Amino acid sequence: MTNQEYLQPYGRAGIFVSDIIDSMNKTYIPAILILVLVFVLHYFGIHYYLYIRFTGYDIMMHVLGGVGLGLALHWFFKTFFTNLSAKKHFWSLLIGIIILGLLWEVMEGYYDITIAPVGTLLHWVDTVKDIINDTIGMLVAYLFVKDK
């Protein structure tokens, strides 16, 4: 039994849900796995001072986070905005990752887990570096999914 046949008694809403299920890409699966990995690595990074002990740990975390969020954004836009051109899709991913990266940086500032006091030059340099690393991660994800 296809999704269309199964959801037919539900009328137009059932057909709409069926269309989404049939056309849904599966990039949410690696997105979830990578974001869970990021969460676990972040937990260990905080509790074992890995962000302080290893200078590249923060870079790795932002690139991995960018990959996971890039895949999640790709899934979101491909599932709910199916008519986006390739160019609009790319720009949606780029703007989305920058917004999410900025929200993360605001959270870091709020919980005082930055490398320098908020507002100092070192803080702003670190913020820009983190947004660039998030974007690099999104670009890596985009390279894997751009033809799908």
Side-chain angles (χ1 to χ4, degrees):
M1 175 180 285
T2 68
N3 287 329
Q4 287 278 359
E5 294 167 342
Y6 179 75
L7 295 172
Q8 190 63 36
Y10 299 105
R12 288 191 169 282
I15 292 171
F16 174 73
V17 170
S18 171
D19 291 340
I20 289 175
I21 291 170
D22 287 342
S23 67
M24 197 162 49
N25 64 63
K26 303 289 190 245
T27 53
Y28 67 91
I29 296 169
I32 290 170
L33 293 174
I34 291 170
L35 292 173
V36 167
L37 175 65
V38 167
F39 176 77
V40 170
L41 291 173
H42 179 67
Y43 174 82
F44 285 113
I46 293 290
H47 290 285
Y48 294 105
Y49 307 102
L50 299 177
Y51 287 99
I52 296 168
R53 293 171 60 194
F54 303 107
T55 56
Y57 198 80
D58 184 56
I59 294 170
M60 175 195 71
M61 293 299 292
H62 278 278
V63 171
L64 270 177
V67 171
L69 290 173
L71 290 171
L73 287 169
H74 170 76
W75 170 82
F76 177 79
F77 288 121
K78 283 293 187 181
T79 302
F80 296 106
F81 299 94
T82 56
N83 295 329
L84 285 179
S85 67
K87 187 176 181 180
K88 286 183 181 177
H89 179 70
F90 174 79
W91 284 104
S92 299
L93 292 177
L94 185 62
I95 291 167
I97 202 69
I98 290 171
I99 289 170
L100 291 172
L102 287 171
L103 288 172
W104 181 263
E105 294 301 314
V106 168
M107 184 276 310
E108 281 185 351
Y110 181 80
Y111 287 104
D112 195 27
I113 54 173
T114 60
I115 66 165
V118 174
T120 62
L121 179 61
L122 184 56
H123 170 260
W124 292 116
V125 168
D126 182 63
T127 297
V128 170
K129 176 194 68 76
D130 289 347
I131 299 297
I132 290 170
N133 289 326
D134 296 336
T135 304
I136 290 169
M138 183 278 299
L139 291 171
V140 169
Y142 182 74
L143 290 175
F144 283 103
V145 299
K146 72 177 180 175
D147 296 327
K148 293 179 173 76

